[in-house]
Amino acid sequence: MTYHIKRVGVIGAGTMGAAIAALVAGTGIPVLLLDVPPGSLTPDEEAKGLTLSHPQVRNRIVQQGFERMRKARPSNLYTERSAELITLGNTEDDFHRLAECDWIVEAIVEQIGPKQALMARLEEVRKPTAIITTNTSGIPIRIIAEGRSEAFRRHFFGSHFFNPPRYLRLLEIIPGDDADPTVVAAFRQFAEERLGKGVVICKDRPNFIGNRIFVYAGQVLLNFALQHGYQVEEVDALTGPLIGRPNTASFRLLDQVGIDVMTYVASNLYDAIPDDESREVYRQNDLTQRMVAAGKLGKKVGQGFYKEMKRDGKREFWPIDLQTLEYIPPQGTASVDALIAAARKIKSLPERLRFILDKAETEHDRGAQLVAAAIYPMMAYAARRLPEIADSVADVDNAMRWGFAHEQGPFQLWQAMGIAETAARMRTFGETLPSWVDELIKTEGRFYGEIDGQPAAYNVATGKLEPINRDPRAIDLAALKAAGRELFGNDSASVIDLGDGVLCFELHSKANTIGGPVIEILIKALDELEQGPWVGMVIGNQGPRFSAGLDLNDVGTAVMAGAWDDIDEYAALVQQTFRRMRDSAKPVVSAPFGQTLGGGVELSMHTAASVAAAETYMGFVEFGVGVIPAWGGCTEMNRRIIATAARNGHDPLKAFQQVFETIALAKVATSAHEAKELGLLRPTDRIVFNPDYLIGEAKREVLRLVADGYTPTITAKPCYALGRDGLAAARIGIYQMREAGFATPYDAVLAEKLAYVLCGGELSSPQWVDDVYMHNLERMTVIELLKDERTQARARHMLEHGKPLRN
């Protein structure tokens, strides 16, 4: 049977339930969100004369959960419009409506009794093909399903989302013994394709994979820090990006999760795993008990391991003293700064960790010892838990990467640092390893390898490497380059053969900024595309962002030298190259994702189509460095929005206002959906929810365009210049903004220059103009701005401090 999920029901409008509803609605699927009706009136309801039977009262709890979800930051919603797909109701008046749903997910209180009672009710209303899942983080799936029919159990399993579900990719699927494999496979495909999840299949063991290992490693590190007198700032400086983990590091992450939540999970685990040889690690320590008792629960209450304070009018985050529980001014990390500075020079994460861990063993370096406590116990415990919680090392690695944003999983790091060597070091550190690791070392086996050219991972249950199933859309650019598919490139960009006649122009400069070396390879790529046997090209990469925009250092040197002709010539070259890409007879498709800023937006916009990741944060931020978009960005925004409005008989002045505000206010879309609303993506551009598929789907779009007989749309005069009419309206708005204090004096100057370009200059009447005319205005204006000391001050401030100067 083929399963199609066209309508979803979510029961429980708490933090997770409402966020899951937002995630699903963001993909375009209608959601019914239910919660219990209240048992008593609020004082405000009593004052209004309402009763418990009033609809407003009946849906109060679900409405409150929905509103909390809408106000949360970062946003749970891809766009505010997707909230319209969520229908609210309660579990008494609207329960029957769940019969319309193809998937029903339970996200109520973590107690066995209420969950079992809810499943009994669901069995009465669900349609025969409906999939039922529970978002439990630790209650055994088999217990929740006790008493249910075989037909129900075949369609029932765990679906453990990680919070916030929009941003954390991990979805743990936990099939019960009776779950139908075809149903699980269908749901997995839906979760990966439509929800964009990285799915890991877990065994029905306490806390599954992610939380089982994460909580253990966190408890070990916390105990080590307390026993050896480390301070909060030292621990977080050592256990963040330095060792391949997010900026939240350790204590900031605990604040985000909630100290009470972590304490609760650890306590439950202690009771649930009597046979775990490391069970005592989960016993609550005195510190967290004291913090919970004192109400220092983390970010949700404004104080945990950190508390936001004001000093000399500036906001600071003061760490807690782990002995007194008092908040103290930041002390710095002088005791570990030398180690951190030396390690940061090593780009490769495994090599960086080897360097640090060498110092832990040979020099007993204080900082390195803490890193060892963060790395070795996690690796050893993960090995000891196989095959209890999973069979494949890949499932563990994926859980830690997708659920906790680790750069590499424990087994990936272990192999990269040397399996036998690292095992010996772990034992020196006091860790115990399972026999299967010793057998692997004896046979010179590996955690990861290849079978018939395909990636494979070690399966502990079978004792051998087994293929990792990969969707053909999950193209790995690094693997293609390693296989010799890179045609040419330099330190900043490469051109790769994706197969089927499709090229990929890959950015890999620092922050994927765009400077001379990038443009050099782009020109060569377009030459190759036009002259070679290729059908099209993808613009994309698989780094942390698409592009942070213009390389300020690249232009800064020329500004300091006063080489204005060189700057103008370079800008003209970029404009010409982008136009050439846009007008290519062979389709070029961009694949933006993550940060796509300034020049990165302009690069993406000058293509036949875009296939964007849902998590694309796109916007023109040039005002922050005192300039305006000058690589065709103003021209493209005019062409796409202002000219389209004029051509379709709509008000071009209103369209101009939209474009002006988007650029002048440096609006950055918080999703690809919002990028469409801002006009940075076309209405026809596709959005991909699974980032692993982005390059593959962009390649598919190239081939689709070719199959449809692609020809570029070239218009002789594609832009609509409002001239003086538009400038007059803009100047009134700029004056009002400055007088009201919303714009600084130089903001007003920049806004005037932007309006001048968007309106096509001081034309006496609105008229159609070509893009070369608009490009010349862009360049002329930017040269004027670059000569201004106020622009130069903004640029210097950005380079030195990483944030804009308001002058």
Side-chain angles (χ1 to χ4, degrees), residues 157-318:
F157 45 89
S159 60
H160 181 217
F161 289 83
F162 277 61
N163 191 34
R166 172 183 161 183
Y167 299 98
L168 290 182
R169 284 193 62 204
L170 179 61
L171 173 61
E172 292 180 322
I173 292 181
I174 311 98
D177 293 338
D178 300 321
D180 186 336
T182 60
V183 176
V184 175
F187 183 80
R188 177 176 188 163
Q189 183 177 5
F190 165 79
E192 290 176 338
E193 291 188 1
R194 196 67 182 267
L195 303 183
K197 291 299 166 189
V199 173
V200 170
I201 303 296
C202 306
K203 295 186 178 181
D204 193 7
R205 297 293 298 152
N207 283 82
F208 317 127
I209 297 176
N211 281 341
R212 182 75 174 272
I213 295 173
F214 169 73
V215 175
Y216 172 84
Q219 290 283 106
V220 168
L221 185 64
L222 178 58
N223 292 338
F224 186 89
L226 291 172
Q227 290 165 10
H228 295 85
Y230 291 87
Q231 296 303 310
V232 168
E233 289 175 279
E234 290 178 310
V235 174
D236 278 354
L238 291 163
T239 59
L242 184 76
I243 63 170
R245 298 181 186 177
N247 287 322
T248 47
S250 299
F251 288 118
R252 287 189 188 89
L253 181 57
L254 288 176
D255 273 357
Q256 187 170 303
V257 172
I259 290 108
D260 55 334
V261 173
M262 286 296 297
T263 301
Y264 172 79
V265 172
S267 178
N268 280 358
L269 262 172
Y270 182 83
D271 295 334
I273 50 174
D275 298 328
D276 189 321
E277 77 289 332
S278 303
R279 181 190 188 206
E280 289 304 311
V281 167
Y282 294 102
R283 189 184 291 277
Q284 294 185 44
N285 59 54
D286 179 63
L287 172 66
T288 53
Q289 287 181 316
R290 288 164 59 206
M291 290 184 70
V292 171
K296 300 177 188 292
L297 307 181
K299 187 177 179 180
K300 60 188 172 186
V301 297
Q303 58 175 4
F305 287 103
Y306 291 91
K307 183 176 182 179
E308 184 177 331
M309 307 287 278
K310 285 286 183 70
R311 184 165 60 165
D312 298 330
K314 295 182 179 179
R315 186 177 67 160
E316 295 182 342
F317 289 92
W318 288 22

Side-chain angles (χ1 to χ4, degrees), residues 750-767:
L750 291 169
E752 169 90 17
K753 297 293 186 182
L754 172 64
Y756 181 85
V757 173
L758 290 176
C759 292
E762 295 275 5
L763 297 175
S764 58
S765 62
Q767 56 191 274

Side-chain angles (χ1 to χ4, degrees), residues 353-384:
L353 285 175
R354 283 180 63 116
F355 169 80
I356 295 172
L357 295 170
D358 278 344
K359 289 186 174 294
E361 188 172 345
T362 61
E363 301 178 19
H364 302 289
D365 181 275
R366 172 182 170 79
Q369 290 280 345
L370 184 89
V371 171
I375 299 294
Y376 289 149
M378 174 185 282
M379 287 180 172
Y381 188 70
R384 293 198 299 270

Side-chain angles (χ1 to χ4, degrees), residues 593-666:
F593 67 97
Q595 278 190 329
T596 303
L597 305 175
V601 179
E602 293 171 303
L603 173 65
S604 178
M605 291 181 81
H606 284 83
T607 55
S610 294
V611 175
E615 298 299 339
T616 299
Y617 316 123
M618 202 171 200
F620 291 108
V621 293
E622 282 85 350
F623 262 45
V625 291
V627 293
I628 65 170
W631 285 347
C634 293
T635 303
E636 280 301 298
M637 290 294 280
N638 182 303
R639 191 172 74 94
R640 288 190 180 190
I641 300 174
I642 301 171
T644 298
R647 193 172 288 111
N648 293 335
H650 301 146
D651 183 2
L653 190 59
K654 185 176 180 180
F656 160 77
Q657 184 178 358
Q658 175 192 336
V659 173
F660 177 79
E661 290 180 358
T662 296
I663 300 174
L665 300 179

